[in-house]
Amino acid sequence: EHCSYLPTIQHPCIFCTQTMSADIVVIEYTALLEDPGESDASNELQEKLIAAFGTDKSLGIVAIRGVPRFLDARTTFLPMAHRLAHLPHDYLENELGDPKTLYNAGWSHGKEKLGDKPDTAKGSFYFNPLADTPGSPELRDQFPLSYPCNVWPDDEKMPGFEANAKDLGSIMHKAVVRVSLHIDALAKKRLGDSYTDNMLYKQMQATDKAKGRLLYYFPIESSDTSASGEEASTPEDSWIGWHNDSGFLTALAGDMYVDDETGKPIDKSLIDPAAGLYAVDRSGKTVRANIPEDCMAVQIGECTQIITGGAVIATPHCVRGGGLKEDGGNGTRVARISLPCFIDTGPTFPLCLPTGCSRKKAIGSGVGNAKVPPLQDRWEDGMTFGDFLQKTFATYYDWSKK
């Protein structure tokens, strides 16, 4: 899902028949609780993580089944996005919008760019599930966009919203921490002593820099027609444009579809099968990524690709809009709800290659693709995470206007 730091890049309609659908590699949460080692169970888990993150067919995503309390927390929180998105406009903009953080906290709609135009396809509510006031006062002053303070709706208007947002985000963070430990083990096995023991795990465990993004995708308007008078097809990146996640690890809560008017959930079997999350593997193949309904998922960001020397890779991805397969003439307008949660280090963390690992290897391990700006144009060995994000944001903005 969309990294909150980046403008959206939208390409012409390049969705085509050779786009395939693929099931994401699934691991059990109980396997993550085992410490890395040489047991059969540990080796099996490593093989699955390599399949998810480290081969030519990897999508850079792994699904996790059996995360304690995750399904109940998701079922409670995600539907709240419909009520939030339909609160009075003035309340959303004046009480929940936070212009001083460039809308990196609270409500944001039409503030991000789609090319050089406001992106109104979706509304976002940003929150930190780990801390209302993250970082120290000094760090918040120095890096206001990295450490925004939370803005919450009144409990009268959105009963239970804050508590349930924090609950689901915290559950997802704990799962990410366990995944990070096993990514460290994978990188250590490939790189040996040049990789610092448990480096990612220690950062993910200690961080208070987490950003949940509750997304409400407004219905795709079907009135557009082509020059021939036929209904125009939906671009493959109509809800979120092509991008790489530029941070470390992204937790995904899956998605759900609702009737935009009533908020009533719509069974996914009724939704256009072309709608949803797409990713590009290292061979350049575009694949619809199916996260099982009983799973959350974790996606690799570019910073993790860098610090592991390309042992794991970030992959371009987007979200394609869609409605019902067969509307039946009832005019149902379909909205989508999702929750990515970006788990990152602080902005001063140095993005350094492992000793003896070449820049070419770290970058070349990733996906070379015209859909996103090249990593080599945005990162220099040793630059801080904060500087990398600034460079990336500027590069994506210029790229999105091409």
Side-chain angles (χ1 to χ4, degrees), residues 1-9 104 111-115 119 122 124 126 211 213 240-247 302 317 342 371-373 378 385 388-398 400:
E1 303 273 349
H2 186 47
C3 179
S4 60
Y5 308 109
L6 305 179
T8 301
I9 300 173
N104 272 280
K111 305 301 188 297
E112 289 143 338
K113 296 289 186 179
L114 184 66
D119 178 8
K122 54 195 171 290
S124 302
Y126 294 107
K211 181 180 291 186
R213 185 185 187 188
I240 280 185
W242 285 104
H243 66 284
N244 280 351
D245 285 354
S246 292
E302 290 176 322
H317 49 282
F342 309 99
K371 291 179 170 65
V372 298
R378 299 179 277 119
F385 176 42
F388 173 67
L389 288 182
Q390 282 192 320
K391 178 73 172 179
T392 293
F393 185 91
T395 305
Y396 264 84
Y397 184 75
D398 291 340
S400 69

Side-chain angles (χ1 to χ4, degrees), residues 41-341:
S42 180
N43 289 332
E44 181 182 352
L45 177 59
Q46 284 292 301
E47 289 175 3
K48 288 187 175 183
L49 292 179
I50 289 170
F53 298 143
T55 72
D56 286 345
K57 294 183 178 180
S58 296
L59 297 179
I61 310 171
V62 69
I64 309 169
R65 180 174 284 123
V67 177
R69 299 184 47 250
F70 167 71
L71 291 177
D72 287 343
R74 182 182 69 181
T75 300
T76 299
F77 182 60
L78 288 194
M80 293 183 174
H82 175 266
R83 180 170 180 172
L84 178 75
H86 291 81
L87 290 175
H89 177 270
D90 287 349
Y91 179 76
L92 289 171
E93 294 295 325
N94 298 330
E95 300 298 325
L96 297 186
D98 192 14
K100 68 179 179 297
T101 65
L102 300 183
Y103 299 92
N104 272 280
W107 177 254
S108 175
H109 181 228
K111 305 301 188 297
E112 289 143 338
K113 296 289 186 179
L114 184 66
D116 58 356
K117 298 178 181 179
D119 178 8
T120 58
K122 54 195 171 290
S124 302
F125 186 88
Y126 294 107
F127 64 95
N128 186 328
L130 306 181
D132 282 324
T133 53
S136 65
E138 293 77 20
L139 283 173
R140 289 196 296 274
D141 287 341
Q142 189 176 358
F143 303 104
L145 301 187
S146 292
Y147 291 108
C149 296
N150 281 335
V151 178
W152 296 108
D154 295 337
D155 206 52
E156 291 182 1
K157 290 183 170 61
M158 294 293 300
F161 182 86
E162 177 181 345
N164 285 293
K166 290 178 176 178
D167 186 39
L168 179 55
S170 296
I171 290 169
M172 294 166 72
H173 170 248
K174 290 176 182 177
V176 164
V177 170
R178 295 307 305 178
V179 171
S180 69
L181 180 64
H182 292 275
I183 291 174
D184 280 329
L186 189 160
K188 188 73 173 178
K189 183 173 290 188
R190 290 197 170 184
L191 299 168
D193 291 341
S194 65
Y195 187 79
T196 302
D197 289 345
N198 296 337
M199 174 170 58
L200 185 61
Y201 172 72
K202 290 176 181 177
Q203 292 295 324
M204 297 296 96
Q205 185 180 47
T207 190
D208 64 352
K209 190 178 184 306
K211 181 180 291 186
R213 185 185 187 188
L214 182 64
L215 281 151
Y216 189 85
Y217 302 80
F218 294 99
I220 298 291
E221 301 300 336
S222 59
S223 58
D224 295 335
T225 56
S226 64
S228 64
E230 297 179 352
E231 185 174 306
S233 58
T234 302
E236 63 178 348
D237 52 356
S238 49
W239 261 337
I240 280 185
W242 285 104
H243 66 284
N244 280 351
D245 285 354
S246 292
F248 287 81
L249 295 173
T250 304
L252 303 175
D255 61 8
M256 65 177 297
Y257 293 85
V258 299
D259 183 324
D260 181 59
E261 182 177 351
T262 66
K264 182 180 178 180
I266 300 173
D267 191 277
K268 285 188 179 179
S269 65
L270 303 177
I271 300 295
D272 178 358
L277 178 66
Y278 286 79
V280 175
D281 66 21
R282 214 161 21 187
S283 69
K285 184 183 296 181
T286 300
V287 177
R288 187 182 183 279
N290 300 314
I291 300 175
E293 282 296 291
D294 60 346
C295 296
M296 63 168 279
V298 175
Q299 195 161 29
I300 298 293
E302 290 176 322
C303 291
T304 298
Q305 177 178 327
I306 290 168
I307 67 171
T308 63
V312 297
I313 58 169
T315 55
H317 49 282
C318 72
V319 178
R320 184 178 193 259
L324 297 178
K325 285 190 292 189
E326 297 179 5
D327 189 15
N330 62 13
T332 301
R333 302 177 72 245
V334 176
R336 178 180 184 260
I337 298 169
S338 69
L339 175 69
C341 190

Side-chain angles (χ1 to χ4, degrees), residues 359-393:
R359 173 182 171 86
K360 182 178 180 180
K361 176 176 174 57
I363 293 174
S365 297
V367 178
N369 195 284
K371 291 179 170 65
V372 298
L375 180 57
Q376 61 263 29
D377 293 347
R378 299 179 277 119
W379 164 72
E380 294 292 337
D381 191 22
M383 74 190 306
T384 66
F385 176 42
D387 288 342
F388 173 67
L389 288 182
Q390 282 192 320
K391 178 73 172 179
T392 293
F393 185 91

